[in-house]
Amino acid sequence: MFRTPDGEEVFIIDGHTHFWDGSPENQSNIHGKQFIDCFYAYHTALSPKDKLWAKDKFEKYSAEQMHHDLFVDGPDDMAIVQSTYLTEFYKNGFNTIERNLEIAKAYKDRFIVNGAFDPRDGEKALEYIHFMKENYGVKGVKLYTAEWKGESRGWKLTDPSAYRCLELCQKLGITNIHVHKGPTIIPLDKDAFDVHDVDHAATDFQGLNFIIEHCGLPRLDDFCWIAVQETNVYGGLAVALPFIHSRPRYFAEVISELLFWVGEDKLLFGSDYAIWTPRWLVEKFWNFEIPDDIKQEHGVDLTREAKRKILGLNAARLYGVDVEAQKAKLKDASLAVAAE
């Protein structure tokens, strides 16, 4: 639970976290090294100096470390842990649902585990979606349209095979479709993360929520013009938010555009752990004020109410989390631990 400087308790759902293994032992080839090296470059470029990790810790961290960073040192009440397989680059996958389920089992009531699918798997993708729903009860998935598979270097939400998967998700109630549409990561291709296919899919699948991670950056305008008309398109602030430290005016411009076009009800906080840890992000976000000239130009403000929604209430609504019941559950768990 995050406590503001004046004592208010704010419920936090971290909408975009990872429990990965990018270690050299798990890398299949040079691309596995390139991928985790690129993540580390984002980490070192945008983090405060006192929040930097050593490279070997960044490549593979423990479940205990993640729990501490999110819920003990960090202010998160819950976290959505996303699955990203990258089996062309990593022997055992980068961040699989099985690995994510381990940490969710170890720390009950803290994690929402999302699955993933690759429509290029054809019938096997459909079978896997059924499997995830029946065995793990997933409510969401994370999609990586730039992921390599054989000779393919990406796919689109509008591909016929993707439509079959989305139709099945809608039918089974897997309603939250997180899609990486934003910065490229070497060796993946920037154009394979293009945001334009979201427009078509969101129109055709009104029963699904499309949470566009990284808000389409660097294609913010394209994302905003899509999200303003598609009521089921949301923006995930992972990668956008860390600019609050190194380039606060740039962040002010980004969040102002998002508030103007998309609105405070359709934006979700995400730390992108372990690229960044949530404590400093939440603290800086809560204390952040949009400069007056930008505020005046856009006609928006980042109010306390907007911050509460972005930091947790919007994600709670999408995932059906009863915030008051969850607070009571976590409080009871803390008391039980204290009594041991």
Side-chain angles (χ1 to χ4, degrees), residues 22-92:
S23 65
E25 293 75 19
N26 193 33
Q27 295 168 10
S28 297
N29 47 43
I30 184 62
H31 300 313
K33 182 178 188 307
Q34 290 172 327
F35 190 87
I36 193 67
D37 284 355
C38 189
F39 267 22
Y40 193 61
Y42 279 107
H43 169 72
T44 54
L46 297 180
S47 297
K49 287 185 178 178
D50 64 341
K51 304 301 180 186
L52 294 178
W53 286 13
K55 179 74 180 306
D56 58 343
K57 175 184 174 183
F58 186 84
E59 289 171 337
K60 185 178 182 181
Y61 42 89
S62 67
E64 292 80 7
Q65 181 74 55
M66 182 169 179
H67 175 263
H68 176 272
D69 291 339
L70 299 186
F71 305 114
V72 181
D73 178 66
D76 291 358
D77 291 287
M78 299 183 72
I80 302 171
V81 59
Q82 309 286 356
S83 299
T84 308
Y85 286 69
L86 298 173
T87 51
E88 296 283 329
F89 305 159
Y90 294 97
K91 297 171 186 173
N92 300 313

Side-chain angles (χ1 to χ4, degrees), residues 6 15 38 45 53 57 59 88 95-96 100 165 167 239 246 250 265 267 275 285 321 332 337:
D6 57 3
C38 189
W53 286 13
K57 175 184 174 183
E59 289 171 337
E88 296 283 329
N95 183 23
T96 64
N100 292 334
C165 292
E167 287 169 358
V239 175
S246 57
Y250 173 68
D265 293 319
L267 298 174
I275 304 181
F285 181 71
V321 175
D332 290 345
V337 170

Side-chain angles (χ1 to χ4, degrees), residues 198-315:
V198 173
D199 190 16
H200 200 142
T203 298
D204 287 348
F205 293 98
Q206 291 292 302
L208 299 178
N209 305 310
F210 291 85
I211 300 99
I212 306 308
E213 299 296 350
H214 323 304
C215 301
L217 291 173
R219 305 174 180 89
L220 183 64
D221 280 353
D222 289 341
F223 167 71
C224 286
W225 282 79
I226 291 169
V228 70
Q229 61 174 330
E230 302 287 354
T231 57
N232 55 343
V233 171
Y234 297 75
L237 292 179
V239 175
L241 185 52
F243 284 100
I244 201 170
H245 168 68
S246 57
R247 294 188 58 193
R249 188 169 177 85
Y250 173 68
F251 174 73
E253 292 168 347
V254 169
I255 195 68
S256 297
E257 291 289 344
L258 290 169
L259 289 170
F260 178 84
W261 292 101
V262 185
E264 64 189 43
D265 293 319
K266 296 206 301 173
L267 298 174
L268 276 65
F269 163 65
S271 67
D272 228 347
Y273 185 89
I275 304 181
W276 298 285
T277 48
R279 180 175 174 179
W280 67 270
L281 289 169
V282 170
E283 289 176 347
K284 284 182 177 289
F285 181 71
W286 185 263
N287 293 325
F288 188 76
E289 299 282 347
I290 299 173
D292 287 342
D293 62 322
I294 297 177
K295 193 187 302 185
Q296 186 173 3
E297 177 184 337
H298 289 76
V300 299
D301 196 4
L302 189 57
T303 64
R304 291 174 73 105
E305 179 60 17
K307 291 172 181 173
R308 292 187 200 100
K309 291 177 180 177
I310 293 168
L311 287 172
L313 299 182
N314 290 340

Side-chain angles (χ1 to χ4, degrees), residues 119 143-146 154-159 162-163 166 179-182 190-205 210 212 219 222-223 226 230 233:
L143 303 180
Y144 232 60
T145 56
W155 55 278
K156 292 184 180 299
L157 294 172
T158 48
D159 291 345
Y163 260 44
L166 294 173
V179 194
H180 179 120
K181 291 290 190 184
K190 175 170 168 280
D191 286 347
F193 284 132
D194 188 283
V195 73
H196 288 95
D197 52 345
V198 173
D199 190 16
H200 200 142
T203 298
D204 287 348
F205 293 98
F210 291 85
I212 306 308
R219 305 174 180 89
D222 289 341
F223 167 71
I226 291 169
E230 302 287 354
V233 171

